[in-house]
Amino acid sequence: MAHHDSFMKDMVVEMKKKFDKYWNEYSLILAIALVFDPRYKLTFVEWAFQKIATLDPLARDMSFRVKSALVRLFNEYKSMDAADIETPTPSSNYVGPIELAEFSAFKSAMLFDSYGKSQLDLYLEEPQIPFSDNYREFDVLAYWRQNGSKYPDVARVAKDVLSIPVSTVCLRVGF
């Protein structure tokens, strides 16, 4: 930005504006999405922003912003009317996956009442899943499908956040 050539300087100033916009608007939701990956959770986000803070002073409070936004988002989902949530109705007296999921949700709610912690708090306090040799093949959405009954409200938020497209770039097919 301090280059003597006005063409270069103008180009860099415009690039910096775009970068700042991207950084300020998108890093929050991307960080929240990372929290829903049980290998990373909030610990990784805090570590990453601590490293970035040496280059960007605004990153110092970003961990706090991520946690605050995550809690607000979770509370928004918790406050949603039960009628807004699709729940299949059982067709017989057979106790199957649906009833077991409801029982798990009941147990999770009891944990909240017993210990004063939300499903989000309990999820974040659980140990992170260790990385394996095939860490690139880990399917976060499959994790939430399998573990959604343990933290049903967290799973709803995770599925919605993780389904947001990462890029705002319009792709062209067939050049």
Side-chain angles (χ1 to χ4, degrees):
M1 290 175 58
H3 199 274
H4 67 279
D5 183 358
S6 64
F7 173 76
M8 291 296 288
K9 183 177 180 177
D10 292 343
M11 183 174 61
V12 170
V13 167
E14 289 303 312
M15 289 173 63
K16 175 98 169 69
K17 284 181 192 174
K18 288 180 181 183
F19 175 80
D20 288 343
K21 179 182 184 225
Y22 176 82
W23 173 250
N24 291 328
E25 292 180 12
Y26 298 110
S27 61
L28 185 64
I29 193 65
L30 292 174
I32 288 172
L34 192 60
V35 171
F36 291 119
D37 185 327
R39 300 168 300 168
Y40 294 103
K41 295 191 179 183
L42 202 53
T43 308
F44 183 85
V45 172
E46 291 168 346
W47 171 80
F49 282 123
Q50 184 179 30
K51 288 188 68 87
I52 294 170
T54 59
L55 302 172
D56 182 357
L58 297 175
R60 292 187 207 290
D61 70 331
M62 197 62 173
S63 292
F64 176 74
R65 287 180 52 207
V66 169
K67 175 80 185 228
S68 297
L70 180 63
V71 169
R72 283 193 319 272
L73 183 62
F74 175 74
N75 288 335
E76 183 69 28
Y77 271 72
K78 286 283 293 170
S79 70
M80 290 172 67
D81 187 11
D84 295 339
I85 304 165
E86 290 183 29
T87 53
T89 55
S91 59
S92 70
N93 291 333
Y94 169 73
V95 176
I98 294 169
E99 290 78 14
L100 293 176
E102 290 174 7
F103 176 66
S104 293
F106 171 77
K107 285 193 325 186
S108 183
M110 293 302 292
L111 283 173
F112 176 80
D113 293 339
S114 301
Y115 302 112
K117 294 183 178 182
S118 70
Q119 292 176 24
L120 180 62
D121 293 329
L122 295 171
Y123 163 70
L124 292 173
E125 289 175 1
E126 261 189 5
Q128 292 163 267
I129 292 176
F131 285 95
S132 63
D133 291 339
N134 58 350
Y135 73 94
R136 291 179 191 260
E137 297 173 18
F138 185 79
D139 186 345
V140 179
L141 289 174
Y143 169 86
W144 283 108
R145 277 192 298 276
Q146 294 168 354
N147 295 285
S149 61
K150 189 173 184 182
Y151 307 117
D153 295 320
V154 177
R156 281 193 354 222
V157 180
K159 288 174 188 175
D160 285 352
V161 168
L162 293 170
S163 67
I164 297 171
V166 175
S167 176
T168 60
V169 175
C170 179
L171 299 176
R172 291 186 185 178
V173 179
F175 290 86

